[in-house]
Amino acid sequence: MDFDHLYKTLADQPKYRVKQAKEAIFKQLVSDWSQSTTLPKELKEQLNQNCSLEIKGQIFSAQKSKTTKALLTLSDGLKIETVLMGHKDGRQTVCVSSQVGCAMACKFCATGKLGLSRNLTYNEIIEQVLFFDRYLKEQNSRVSNIVFMGMGEPFANYDAVLKAIKYFNDSEAFNIGARHISISTSGIIPGIEKLTAEKIQVNLAISLHAANNKLRSELMRINDRFPLEKLLKAVDKYIQKTGRKVMFEYLMIKGVNDSLKHAEELSRLMAKPLHMVNLIPYNPTGVYLPSSQHTIDQFKNYLRKRQVEVSQRYTFGQEIDAACGQLANKAKKVAK
Ligand code: SAH
Ligand code: SF4
């Protein structure tokens, strides 16, 4: 699917045709133009030839945690993974990918091991959500929330990510409120600065994982380029300008960053308004081990005592390798 192509094809048509085409794609959720009830037959044939709506995907479901993973095949044959999480309250969150692989090479992350193949286009980011909207249609449900926590570093592909977000937000397209859209970054400061200046106010999450430069650089190479003090300063500016809460993601890795000394360090960095910590149980990818729930509870209680707002992330889809940091196109690896 290619929206630029679509607009070009419709350029010499009356203006309302664009609206009708968007209705077919986003409201009727058609996967073939012939299913559109409003467009004329000739145009539908032309569109089927020039702007196919087909999204190639394979589905993996985990009933236990209401998680569905899709392995999508892009037009050049590369594959990406995207995950749908069904919440008890009816929310349907899609965890979208922004790149094929990732160049950041964080030690704990399966995507990081792949290296970067290429950026996704905004069309390919949109397709991930459209794929699940079509899937949910049978259950009379729709995607309600989007998190950029799949494969890739969203701020290394800033323009495509922001363009996709405009579609997510557009009332004629997905109509998802900016408050229901979150970007997670490993801490690319220029991206945080650009987002600070945007009109659209999506949620910002920072993958922190360590509260001192030595350990953070060991886990995340990007910390050498954007060290903690500069990163936190950029976040302060974002908070000043937007007045919005920022979520700091903190992986709990056994014996690496999970002691009370680490909690003390973290509590000092977080002793500011609108900073909140989200503790993430580590999904093993072969390098480290996860902290025990007892250790996580102790860490959490320590932070709470220090007045830090803290929550623990529910883990979705471990059994189908669909949880955070596990997306690594197993099918691609087997084929190699
Ligand atoms: N590149 C971005 C967004 C994608 S990763 C980022 O790093 O923020 C989404 C989240 O999954 C990040 O917080 C990341 O640190 C976390 N993550 C990576 N590997 C993980 C693993 N093995 N277990 C749990 N979370 C992991
Ligand atoms: Fe890339 Fe995020 Fe994985 Fe780091 S944690 S390698 S930035 S996807």
Side-chain angles (χ1 to χ4, degrees):
M1 214 186 57
D2 183 334
F3 280 96
D4 295 323
H5 218 127
L6 174 68
Y7 298 139
K8 235 183 253 166
T9 309
L10 294 176
D12 42 8
Q13 295 280 330
K15 268 214 173 114
Y16 59 86
R17 294 280 181 234
V18 172
K19 206 171 172 188
Q20 288 176 331
K22 278 172 98 178
E23 245 168 48
I25 300 172
F26 298 112
K27 307 281 183 258
Q28 288 178 253
L29 297 167
V30 303
S31 50
D32 186 304
W33 287 108
S34 60
Q35 298 159 350
S36 152
T37 47
T38 49
L39 294 168
K41 193 162 175 261
E42 221 170 89
L43 184 60
K44 289 198 267 195
E45 278 166 12
Q46 202 185 336
L47 287 171
N48 261 342
Q49 268 172 17
N50 296 338
C51 313
S52 163
L53 291 175
E54 189 189 12
I55 305 172
K56 284 191 195 132
Q58 206 185 337
I59 292 243
F60 304 85
S61 287
Q63 284 314 322
K64 215 170 69 191
S65 57
K66 282 209 153 183
T67 306
T68 311
K69 180 167 83 170
L71 181 68
L72 302 186
T73 304
L74 307 175
S75 55
D76 59 0
L78 288 177
K79 291 180 199 289
I80 50 164
E81 291 181 328
T82 177
V83 179
L84 173 72
M85 297 167 283
H87 303 269
K88 284 200 188 89
D89 59 7
R91 278 177 305 132
Q92 299 280 2
T93 300
V94 176
C95 178
V96 293
S97 294
S98 54
Q99 301 182 301
V100 187
C102 184
M104 300 303 149
C106 301
K107 258 203 193 143
F108 44 79
C109 173
T111 312
K113 284 195 197 91
L114 298 173
L116 177 70
S117 295
R118 68 168 171 86
N119 277 338
L120 292 180
T121 66
Y122 78 95
N123 292 300
E124 290 165 336
I125 298 174
I126 291 173
E127 274 177 1
Q128 299 171 50
V129 178
L130 204 50
F131 182 86
F132 279 126
D133 265 336
R134 289 179 189 173
Y135 173 81
L136 286 171
K137 195 177 166 185
E138 282 166 31
Q139 303 165 31
N140 270 325
S141 183
R142 280 203 80 136
V143 174
S144 58
N145 297 65
I146 293 168
V147 293
F148 279 84
M149 292 188 189
M151 303 172 79
E153 167 50 53
F155 285 162
N157 187 16
Y158 188 92
D159 292 344
V161 166
L162 258 284
K163 203 158 173 189
I165 286 176
K166 296 219 167 104
Y167 276 86
F168 294 150
N169 201 221
D170 177 2
S171 59
E172 283 183 8
F174 294 96
N175 198 21
I176 295 175
R179 272 140 215 259
H180 295 157
I181 303 170
S182 304
I183 301 182
S184 171
T185 178
S186 57
I188 313 281
I189 292 176
I192 297 169
E193 289 171 343
K194 275 200 246 174
L195 188 69
T196 307
E198 297 284 349
K199 278 206 195 83
I200 190 159
Q201 295 212 341
V202 293
N203 304 308
L204 176 65
I206 308 283
S207 291
L208 198 69
H209 308 325
N212 69 69
N213 278 319
K214 185 168 174 286
L215 181 57
R216 193 162 190 271
S217 285
E218 250 170 62
L219 297 172
M220 308 173 75
R221 273 196 337 215
I222 191 67
N223 191 67
D224 289 340
R225 236 168 94 204
F226 302 120
L228 275 174
E229 53 289 354
K230 289 191 179 154
L231 172 59
L232 294 173
K233 220 179 248 169
V235 173
D236 282 346
K237 282 194 190 142
Y238 169 89
I239 290 178
Q240 261 169 29
K241 163 94 194 301
T242 63
R244 295 180 63 74
K245 218 181 238 185
V246 172
M247 185 169 87
F248 290 87
E249 298 160 278
Y250 194 95
L251 272 172
M252 294 296 289
I253 312 177
K254 189 176 184 172
V256 173
N257 65 352
D258 63 350
S259 73
L260 290 185
K261 189 180 149 282
H262 294 116
E264 198 269 326
E265 251 173 7
L266 180 61
S267 71
R268 270 189 274 133
L269 297 187
M270 296 293 110
K272 286 179 192 164
L274 301 175
H275 286 52
M276 68 159 293
V277 173
N278 189 223
L279 297 178
I280 312 179
Y282 180 61
N283 299 310
T285 61
V287 187
Y288 300 108
L289 294 170
S291 308
S292 67
Q293 186 55 48
H294 177 68
T295 305
I296 299 178
D297 287 339
Q298 279 187 327
F299 201 94
K300 205 188 305 175
N301 290 337
Y302 185 94
L303 291 173
R304 287 208 173 122
K305 259 192 233 139
R306 298 286 174 112
Q307 266 75 50
V308 178
E309 191 183 338
V310 55
S311 56
Q312 179 176 341
R313 183 172 297 173
Y314 178 74
T315 296
F316 280 92
Q318 260 198 21
E319 64 270 46
I320 50 168
D321 285 337
C324 263
Q326 290 191 322
L327 303 185
N329 291 351
K330 286 254 165 77
K332 183 181 151 200
K333 277 205 284 192
V334 173
K336 260 188 185 170

